[in-house]
Amino acid sequence: MPPDPPDPVTWSIPAFVLLIAVELAGCRLRPDDGAAGYEARDSATSVGMGLGSVVFDLLWKIPALALFEAVHALTPARVPVVWWTIPPVLLAQDFLYYWSHRGHHVVRVLWACHVVHHSSRRFNLTTALRQPWTSLTVWPFFLPMIVCGVPPAAVFLCYSVNLVYQFWVHTERIGRLPRPVEYVFNTPSHHRVHHASQGGYLDRNFGGILILWDRLFGSFAAETERPVYGLTKNIDTYNPLRVATHEYAAIARDLRDARSWRERAGRVLRGPGWQPAPPPPAAGPGSAGEGAV
């Protein structure tokens, strides 16, 4: 394949704009009273986050590409990128995307990157554009492909294809699709669950293109009740800089107030909701071992 293949995300921008316009028109002409719908400031923030991510992703890809090229030069394996290798390479990327996505939900320092995408209380096609500005943590998850001989350009290409696929699943305008489609693929119904903040929906449906990984690894949940979108603790801001960095700031505050190195490690490496065990109550007068005769 060419060393610098065209980026599917860039080529898809006109389609993104058209589909957003169609969805917005549909929301205006045939509103759904129960749907989150559109809100101007929220959509502007999502678009701003998307534009910023294009710039920052170019910067983060420089060290990622350097690492990928170094590992690819060291491994003896080589996977040719031809028509018959493209499906298994894309399947491998989607499998690793599942674990990257799941990891970014259960490790707080990774969640600080991914939380951006969940920070909107709306769910529409502009929400798909609300991407993080600190995506360097994503790329190490795809090193196994490089070790197996997949060229770095093919990994980046598959990642972009995965992102383009996921654009259309960010909508409330599409209900459930035929059962075989819902069983195999990530769909709007599955992804609405992923963006919901209810307890039974939290940390579910991590798949990018396929939902089969969630079914296989026990993280699948079907859409039953209507989702409530956003975070368990919403941030109430439309400032793109604060949206991009608020969880890193929260981690810094927790590290400043931590009482031990064990707690500091937990604040960074445990789940987003992790709290240290409270200190044992101080022994008061008359407690066991004091004042006994």
Side-chain angles (χ1 to χ4, degrees), residues 19-262:
L19 290 172
I20 289 171
V22 170
E23 183 186 49
L24 180 58
C27 290
R28 295 289 185 265
L29 296 174
R30 299 187 63 182
D32 178 351
D33 291 338
Y38 276 78
E39 197 275 331
R41 292 174 299 174
D42 178 82
S43 294
T45 300
S46 294
V47 172
M49 295 304 299
L51 293 174
S53 75
V54 171
V55 176
F56 284 104
D57 279 353
L58 290 175
L59 298 177
W60 296 127
K61 281 182 179 178
I62 294 172
L65 179 60
L67 175 62
F68 283 4
E69 291 288 0
V71 174
H72 191 256
L74 292 173
T75 181
R78 287 293 181 268
V79 174
V81 181
V82 293
W83 69 267
W84 59 269
T85 64
I86 291 175
V89 167
L90 188 57
L91 184 68
Q93 190 279 331
D94 194 56
F95 173 74
L96 294 175
Y97 174 87
Y98 168 85
W99 289 109
S100 170
H101 195 179
R102 188 166 181 169
H104 278 73
H105 273 255
V106 300
V107 177
R108 191 182 180 194
V109 70
L110 303 183
W111 172 245
C113 162
H114 186 64
V115 67
V116 169
H117 186 59
H118 287 263
S119 60
S120 174
R121 281 182 265 183
R122 308 278 170 166
F123 192 76
N124 53 60
L125 292 177
T126 66
T127 309
L129 307 180
R130 188 177 285 227
Q131 295 294 324
W133 294 358
T134 55
S135 59
L136 182 62
T137 56
V138 169
W139 299 113
F141 284 87
F142 299 100
L143 273 173
M145 295 180 69
I146 304 296
V147 172
C148 290
V150 178
V155 175
F156 288 123
L157 179 64
C158 288
Y159 187 84
S160 292
V161 169
N162 205 311
L163 284 183
V164 170
Y165 175 88
Q166 290 185 62
F167 177 80
W168 76 280
V169 301
H170 291 82
T171 183
E172 294 183 285
R173 306 298 292 180
I174 298 175
R176 290 229 176 104
L177 298 174
R179 184 173 296 179
V181 177
E182 294 283 347
Y183 190 83
V184 174
F185 294 99
N186 188 17
T187 65
S189 177
H190 298 327
H191 209 60
R192 286 193 289 269
V193 168
H194 180 69
H195 274 257
S197 60
Q198 293 106 306
Y201 284 169
L202 288 177
D203 297 335
R204 299 291 177 178
N205 298 0
F206 299 110
I209 296 175
L210 301 178
I211 203 66
L212 291 175
W213 312 122
D214 291 280
R215 297 185 186 277
L216 181 61
F217 296 111
S219 54
F220 175 75
E223 184 180 29
T224 52
E225 61 180 312
R226 184 180 284 272
V228 177
Y229 304 109
L231 305 173
T232 55
K233 294 182 179 179
N234 288 299
I235 56 176
D236 297 320
T237 182
Y238 298 103
N239 182 324
L241 184 60
R242 286 188 60 198
V243 171
T245 61
H246 73 274
E247 186 64 16
Y248 293 107
I251 291 174
R253 290 193 296 270
D254 287 341
L255 292 176
R256 178 195 63 197
D257 297 335
R259 299 185 301 271
S260 68
W261 284 107
R262 181 184 295 273

